[in-house]
Amino acid sequence: MEFFLDTADVDEIREIASWGILDGVTTNPSLIKKSGRDFKTVVAEIASICDGPISAEVTALDTEGMVEQGRLLKEELPPNVIIKIPCTPEGLAATKILTADGIKTNVTLIFSASQALMAAKAGATYVSPFIGRIDDTGADGMTLIAEIMSAWDNYNVDTKVLAASIRHPTHVLACMQMGAHTVTMPTKIFRQLMTHPLTDKGLAGFMKDWAEVEAAGNA
Ligand code: G3P
């Protein structure tokens, strides 16, 4: 399973990248706004920290504009940047054109299995279903991941399912059980997934005993 960070905060990205298991980063216009930095500068810096796919989102709403922005971002930014495109009819057409150019894409804002399958049909490298935002409406976001994985089994789809809008570690655990290829999560959840009180307690016990081994001159 690929682990992506869903942030444009370069300090957080550096911290998690130092663990050695960061596979990619996703950004969106809201995360860029939160960073308070220039879009292309911050995406280029992220791409220099993490070798994996870095999603940069287009903001045009028409196909021509999306294609133009996507091509320009590919020209101006490092080669590991991929183009994030909203799941609209115009976005599908842009995905098809950029895919034909050999440009990798991440089709975002997916809320149904039919949208996911259509984006895959257009050639998307990744599709991003938003789990948490479905939970926010009172429905079950994980049901969408299950539906998409089942459609993928039926049709042998190559596109990777990138579970997004992750709110808590159990979303990630459920994605692992369902075989989602990739999950993108905030830094807080990365930290939560790596933390266990018994690990901390066990390590403290080993360190205390080792100090006594050293004190006895047996180290
Ligand atoms: O990458 C975007 C997606 O993960 C959005 O998350 O928390 O704004 O619903 P959220």
Side-chain angles (χ1 to χ4, degrees):
M1 188 187 217
E2 291 180 313
F3 283 172
F4 286 9
L5 260 176
D6 197 25
T7 182
D9 182 319
V10 292
D11 292 333
E12 291 184 356
I13 296 167
R14 273 201 187 86
E15 175 199 333
I16 303 300
S18 75
W19 297 4
I21 58 154
L22 181 63
D23 296 307
V25 178
T26 49
T27 70
N28 62 37
S30 305
L31 293 171
I32 297 295
K33 176 184 161 195
K34 198 172 163 196
S35 79
R37 298 186 56 197
D38 172 73
F39 171 44
K40 288 178 188 167
T41 307
V42 76
V43 172
E45 189 173 343
I46 293 168
S48 74
I49 301 168
C50 175
D51 289 342
I54 312 300
S55 291
E57 188 157 340
V58 296
T59 49
L61 296 177
D62 61 306
T63 301
E64 202 186 344
M66 289 186 206
V67 169
E68 195 182 324
Q69 282 184 357
R71 285 178 175 153
L72 205 59
L73 289 171
K74 281 305 290 176
E75 265 174 43
E76 294 179 358
L77 290 169
N80 55 328
V81 170
I82 71 170
I83 306 304
K84 202 172 185 188
I85 299 172
C87 190
T88 58
E90 295 79 8
L92 283 189
T95 301
K96 180 104 185 168
I97 294 166
L98 291 173
T99 301
D101 282 1
I103 294 174
K104 291 186 177 172
T105 57
N106 171 5
V107 177
T108 189
L109 287 167
I110 288 188
F111 292 93
S112 74
S114 53
Q115 285 180 314
L117 196 56
M118 286 177 165
K121 212 169 156 60
T125 315
Y126 290 92
V127 288
S128 289
F130 277 27
I131 303 174
R133 291 194 194 186
I134 294 178
D135 288 354
D136 292 345
T137 68
D140 176 22
M142 287 315 304
T143 302
L144 172 58
I145 303 296
E147 286 172 358
I148 294 173
M149 296 320 295
S150 149
W152 259 225
D153 280 347
N154 290 342
Y155 296 106
N156 214 7
V157 182
D158 287 336
T159 299
K160 289 182 177 177
V161 177
L162 194 175
S165 185
I166 299 288
R167 297 276 192 267
H168 43 73
T170 49
H171 272 154
V172 180
L173 299 179
C175 284
M176 288 179 192
Q177 302 307 312
M178 291 179 185
H181 307 88
T182 311
V183 70
T184 189
M185 52 193 153
T187 309
K188 179 185 164 195
I189 292 172
F190 246 97
R191 294 194 191 110
Q192 285 176 322
L193 285 170
M194 255 316 288
T195 304
H196 198 289
L198 291 179
T199 304
D200 296 343
K201 190 178 168 195
L203 185 59
F206 289 156
M207 292 303 97
K208 182 172 171 291
D209 288 342
W210 189 247
E212 289 175 24
V213 170
E214 284 181 322
N218 291 329

